[in-house]
Amino acid sequence: MAVMPMTAYAAGTAFCTKCNRIQTVRLTYRYTDNNWHQCYVTCTVCHNIWDYGMSHEWSGTATCTSGRTCTECGGSSEPLGHDWGTWTQNSDEKTHTRICKRDTSHTETENCHGGTATCTAKAVCTVCGGEYGEMAAHSFTAEKAEAQYLKSAATCTEKAVYYKSCAVCGLSSEGTADEATFFSGNALDHDWGAWTSNEDGTHTRTCKRDASHTETNNCTGGTATCTAKAVCEVCKSEYGEKLPHDFTAETVDAKYLKSAATCTGKAIYYKSCAVCGLSSEGTADEVTFFSGNVLDHNWGAWTSNEDGTHTRTCTVDGCSAGTQTENCIDANKDHKC
Ligand SMILES: [Zn+2]
Ligand SMILES: [Zn+2]
Ligand SMILES: [Zn+2]
Ligand SMILES: [Zn+2]
Ligand SMILES: [Zn+2]
Ligand SMILES: [Zn+2]
Ligand SMILES: [Zn+2]
Ligand SMILES: [Zn+2]
């Protein structure tokens, strides 16, 4: 409490040691401390001054913020100060308030503070013990390839995808504003079934994991002949065309006979396949060959033509060339040749 100015008061009477008699005096007071003030006495006759300490003459009632007032020196006693209750968090969950027990109109409010927020709990105010503020953001940096974080399993061609999770509390980032993913492991590759012929010169295999995954290639390998198509070395099915027959064989056999030898013509045979023996008869590449010699005519008897000639005729059916006419010789003149 500040020292109060000296205050003059009306006169009284007192014994002045200098005058050695009771004189009219003037009294002034000066605040010393919370307990005392100093009273100065001035003799109005000799102007002698003396002083002594004395208690304040308090009046009024002290409050939290103001003390009582001394009626003599004008000083004030120390105020009582507030008698605060405990800090209590307000419904805004941001501030806390304490109320004076002496006067509920005396309140003090400040922001909650202290403590440390985490991603799972708000900060706890070190003053009122209430939670306040926001939780800390999750730190979605952990890459844990665990079933609970799986977004999509690995496929034949894609790696597995997982959601990143909070490195602190393990929460998945799925569905959060900071959703993040990472790849893990390798693609599975296709699980191919066996190659199957498509009956069109190609073969196809299908993935056992996903029937929409197929692979188709041309059949290959094997050797075609004139009797069999090539067999694909992959799908083991026949494909392509047979080879053409090689109608170069000249085999004299009844089964290839086109026409037998006659008096005027050699026998004709169909050529056959040098590989498989098929006759070329009736094929686009039909081809024939002659074999052997023409047959001799099978002459009938000479017959006189009564003109000095005689004729004989071949008895083979259809032999138009088989007629022979000579002059009669009749060496023995018997009119018979
Ligand atoms: Zn006083
Ligand atoms: Zn108060
Ligand atoms: Zn607080
Ligand atoms: Zn977290
Ligand atoms: Zn597949
Ligand atoms: Zn094939
Ligand atoms: Zn053949
Ligand atoms: Zn003939």
Side-chain angles (χ1 to χ4, degrees):
M1 175 55 63
V3 173
M4 301 301 286
M6 189 174 288
T7 305
Y9 280 88
T13 56
F15 182 83
C16 174
T17 55
K18 195 171 177 184
C19 296
N20 200 31
R21 56 176 292 181
I22 293 172
Q23 295 285 45
T24 298
V25 294
R26 188 159 39 88
L27 300 176
T28 60
Y29 300 87
R30 190 160 68 179
Y31 178 92
T32 304
D33 60 29
N34 201 42
N35 294 315
W36 304 98
H37 59 215
Q38 203 71 11
C39 178
Y40 297 88
V41 183
T42 304
C43 176
T44 57
V45 176
C46 72
H47 302 296
N48 180 33
I49 299 175
W50 65 100
D51 67 286
Y52 51 93
M54 55 189 296
S55 295
H56 296 292
E57 288 297 324
W58 297 123
S59 72
T61 305
T63 68
C64 297
T65 53
S66 62
R68 289 178 291 172
T69 301
C70 177
T71 59
E72 292 175 335
C73 72
S76 295
S77 66
E78 294 285 353
L80 297 176
H82 299 288
D83 183 10
W84 293 120
T86 57
W87 287 103
T88 304
Q89 191 177 46
N90 295 310
S91 59
D92 63 8
E93 296 185 351
K94 293 174 183 171
T95 59
H96 47 237
T97 295
R98 59 181 181 176
I99 300 171
C100 180
K101 292 173 184 172
R102 269 192 270 281
D103 183 337
T104 57
S105 75
H106 300 166
T107 64
E108 209 171 47
T109 297
E110 59 180 32
N111 289 327
C112 288
H113 58 268
T116 305
T118 68
C119 60
T120 55
K122 295 176 179 178
V124 174
C125 175
T126 51
V127 176
C128 70
E131 291 187 339
Y132 73 99
E134 299 303 323
M135 288 192 282
H138 294 286
S139 173
F140 291 126
T141 55
E143 299 191 350
K144 290 186 177 173
E146 296 173 4
Q148 60 184 319
Y149 304 124
L150 183 66
K151 180 180 186 184
S152 58
T155 67
C156 300
T157 53
E158 302 284 349
K159 296 176 178 180
V161 178
Y162 291 85
Y163 292 104
K164 288 189 180 183
S165 53
C166 178
V168 177
C169 71
L171 180 76
S172 172
S173 69
E174 178 180 5
T176 69
D178 298 315
E179 184 174 290
T181 60
F182 65 99
F183 291 103
S184 178
N186 295 311
L188 300 176
D189 285 335
H190 301 288
D191 183 9
W192 294 120
W195 288 102
T196 305
S197 171
N198 298 312
E199 313 293 347
D200 63 355
T202 64
H203 46 237
T204 294
R205 61 180 179 174
T206 303
C207 178
K208 292 173 183 172
R209 266 190 271 282
D210 185 336
S212 74
H213 300 166
T214 64
E215 211 173 47
T216 297
N217 286 329
N218 290 325
C219 287
T220 182
T223 305
T225 68
C226 59
T227 56
K229 296 176 180 178
V231 174
C232 172
E233 63 191 20
V234 176
C235 69
K236 312 302 181 195
S237 294
E238 290 188 338
Y239 73 100
E241 299 302 324
K242 293 176 189 173
L243 290 182
H245 294 286
D246 176 18
F247 292 128
T248 57
E250 299 188 351
T251 303
V252 176
D253 189 292
K255 65 187 177 190
Y256 302 126
L257 183 64
K258 181 179 184 184
S259 58
T262 67
C263 317
T264 54
K266 296 176 179 178
I268 299 174
Y269 290 86
Y270 293 106
K271 289 190 180 181
S272 56
C273 178
V275 177
C276 70
L278 180 76
S279 172
S280 68
E281 179 181 3
T283 70
D285 299 316
E286 184 175 289
V287 61
T288 59
F289 65 97
F290 294 103
S291 177
N293 296 310
V294 296
L295 300 177
D296 290 334
H297 294 294
N298 186 13
W299 296 117
W302 288 106
T303 307
S304 172
N305 296 316
E306 309 298 343
D307 62 354
T309 67
H310 52 235
T311 295
R312 63 178 181 176
T313 303
C314 178
T315 62
V316 174
D317 281 349
C319 178
S320 56
T323 300
Q324 222 175 21
T325 300
E326 295 177 349
N327 290 322
C328 291
I329 302 164
D330 199 17
N332 56 1
K333 306 299 182 193
D334 62 356
H335 301 293
K336 286 196 170 82
C337 295

